[in-house]
Amino acid sequence: MRSLKFTIWLSFTGCALIASALSADERQINITGTYLNKDYGYSVHLKEGLSGSNLAPPAPQHGFGINLKPSTAGYVWVMAYYDALMVGSVERAAEQESHRFVEQDGLLVIEDKPATLSGLAAREVVLSDRAGKHAINYVRLLVVYRKVPGEVGIIYQIGLQQHTRSAEGEAVVSSIVDSFRMVPISGVP
């Protein structure tokens, strides 16, 4: 297990070093309209006036992020990655993802409930620091685990983080959730 974690770390570090050699303008890709990720088998449609960004290859192509307007001061992300740590279920994947915000940002899980995304079982987790002591005081996660025959599974995540929860941020997440679709994964029968 230790060598698997080291291999994952080395892969991410190598991609980060290659990507850092390029200027920010060369690395940035603007996302509008429909985003299709065949490597991880999903698509999302961004409504008119909404745009996201990610880094150009050779950076990993897991998904994209959206910086919300300054008035809502937040960030939305859509991403997928292979279950390299072998969590094996939506419950464990959601627990793992929410734990990161508990540890790093001092947030508390205030809601954890079943949900669905594109027909698959999901977990919706809301974390908060109601005292408002941190830069990030509100996080909403929607986590899905997709089994892939003959492979490790894929974990999908739609997230919102803000200093203070806003209706605008929630509306962006809702529009992404509504348009999220599973599609065939490249190279998987």
Side-chain angles (χ1 to χ4, degrees):
M1 185 63 135
R2 179 177 279 173
S3 65
L4 176 63
K5 288 181 181 179
F6 176 74
T7 302
I8 293 168
W9 174 84
L10 186 59
S11 297
F12 283 121
T13 303
C15 288
L17 288 173
I18 291 168
S20 67
L22 301 171
S23 74
D25 290 339
E26 292 175 45
R27 296 183 313 187
Q28 201 72 7
I29 297 174
N30 193 40
I31 309 289
T32 58
T34 299
Y35 172 81
L36 174 62
N37 189 317
K38 291 181 181 179
D39 292 333
Y40 292 96
Y42 73 99
S43 71
V44 175
H45 182 77
L46 299 181
K47 64 183 181 179
E48 186 71 31
L50 192 60
S51 67
S53 63
N54 69 358
L55 297 177
Q61 298 299 299
H62 297 277
F64 62 93
I66 301 169
N67 286 311
L68 299 175
K69 298 175 192 171
S71 61
T72 58
Y75 185 74
V76 173
W77 65 94
V78 179
M79 64 179 283
Y81 53 93
Y82 282 99
D83 182 16
L85 298 179
M86 311 290 263
V87 297
S89 71
V90 67
E91 292 81 11
R92 288 184 59 204
E95 180 183 329
Q96 173 184 294
E97 293 303 325
S98 59
H99 183 74
R100 182 170 56 94
F101 291 99
V102 169
E103 290 295 313
Q104 290 178 357
D105 299 302
L107 302 180
L108 300 173
V109 174
I110 60 170
E111 188 173 9
D112 182 352
K113 64 183 182 181
T116 59
L117 182 66
S118 190
L120 292 177
R123 297 296 302 179
E124 183 173 6
V125 182
V126 176
L127 300 97
S128 181
D129 174 6
R130 293 192 174 125
K133 299 182 290 189
H134 305 285
I136 298 170
N137 293 306
Y138 176 78
V139 173
R140 176 180 170 198
L141 298 171
L142 189 61
V143 180
V144 173
Y145 184 86
R146 180 181 185 181
K147 291 183 180 181
V148 180
E151 301 278 340
V152 297
I154 298 175
I155 297 171
Y156 300 87
Q157 190 181 123
I158 298 172
L160 165 66
Q161 66 181 35
Q162 295 185 289
H163 178 71
T164 304
R165 180 179 183 224
S166 73
E168 294 90 347
E170 295 292 347
V172 169
V173 169
S174 291
S175 73
I176 289 170
V177 168
D178 290 345
S179 73
F180 189 99
R181 300 288 180 265
M182 296 293 175
V183 301
I185 301 166
S186 289
V188 176

